Structure formats: C-alpha cells, structure tokens
Amino acid sequence: MSLAANLIRFAIKITPNSLIVWVANHVMKGIAELTQFNFDLDARRVYVQSRLYGEDFTIDVVLEDFAVFNDGESYRFILHRAQSDRPWLQNILAKFVGKAWKIPAIPGFTKPLELAAEVFAAQAPALHLIEGEASAE
C-alpha cells in the first residue's frame, strides 16, 4: 500500500466521529440532523443514525463490506450488505447491494480513484467474486 493510502487510512481512523457529526450537521442544516456516526475502516462498516428535518424519529442505516476496485476497464463500487430500520429505505438499499456500480471516468479524477481503490480495496476472496460478477455483465 502506498504512503498516500496509508496516510488517508490513518486520517480516517483518527478523525473523531463527533467532528464528522458536526460537519455533516452544518452541511445538512434544514434537511437532516446526524445523531450518531461510526465508520470502522478495517471492518468495512458504516453506521449512521439521522433525523430528517421536522421528523420526530431517527433512521438507522448500516452499510457493510464495501469496496472500490478497478475491473481493468473502469473503477467500480460495490456494497455487499446494507440495512435500515425503515422498510422503504431497506427496499432502496436492496437495489444497490451486490452490484458492482461503475464510477464514471472524469478527466483529471483518475489519480483520486486509484487512491480510493487502494484505500477501500476489496479483501482477496471478495475481489474474486466481484471480478466474476463484473465480467458477467
């Protein structure tokens, strides 16, 4: 793994969740309030609890086992598990799970994609399954 990828992984690990919540709430003011956030890079797990503006109850979302990879032609993002405590959101997430989504090639954005693929690289067994799915498309 490159020095840049290691630095990004380190920065992700040491960034306090409270800082992420504060920034997200500043950006999403009037839309939603992030009440809890946890990102475990090693376990590939993101937990988010949010309350939509004007609503009384929170929405929980858990994303697990995700990766960015290069299939030889383009970069792709895959999410293997996602769940929510809201049936409508669970149905939306089900549309994204298990599919290797192509990341559009944007001129000048190749290096950041390479770095993202390195930071969020799939585990070896998962990558084998992903490559088989991508070639089946």
Side-chain angles (χ1 to χ4, degrees):
M1 188 172 291
S2 71
L3 178 60
N6 281 327
L7 286 173
I8 290 171
R9 288 180 67 83
F10 179 71
I12 290 170
K13 288 180 183 182
I14 66 167
T15 302
N17 289 334
S18 57
L19 177 62
I20 293 168
V21 168
W22 182 80
V23 170
N25 286 336
H26 180 72
V27 171
M28 298 187 316
K29 189 172 187 146
I31 300 168
E33 175 190 10
L34 192 61
T35 56
Q36 289 186 24
F37 177 84
N38 188 346
F39 182 33
D40 185 343
L41 184 58
D42 294 328
R44 297 294 168 93
R45 185 176 193 276
V46 177
Y47 170 76
V48 176
Q49 184 181 70
S50 183
R51 180 179 303 109
L52 298 176
Y53 183 72
E55 297 292 326
D56 293 330
F57 301 103
T58 59
I59 297 172
D60 294 337
V61 177
V62 178
L63 308 176
E64 295 179 289
D65 195 15
F66 50 86
V68 175
F69 65 97
N70 187 323
D71 66 1
E73 296 177 12
S74 62
Y75 286 92
R76 293 182 177 265
F77 172 79
I78 190 159
L79 175 63
H80 286 284
R81 284 184 295 281
Q83 62 186 49
S84 174
D85 62 343
R86 296 291 190 272
W88 61 268
L89 187 51
Q90 184 68 33
N91 291 339
I92 292 171
L93 292 171
K95 302 284 185 189
F96 292 92
V97 171
K99 295 183 176 116
W101 294 86
K102 185 176 180 179
I103 301 171
I106 300 171
F109 198 59
T110 303
K111 284 291 184 191
L113 278 176
E114 284 178 21
L115 195 53
E118 194 173 352
V119 171
F120 300 110
Q123 306 302 328
L127 185 57
H128 176 70
L129 293 173
I130 293 166
E131 288 172 347
E133 291 172 7
S135 63
E137 289 182 355

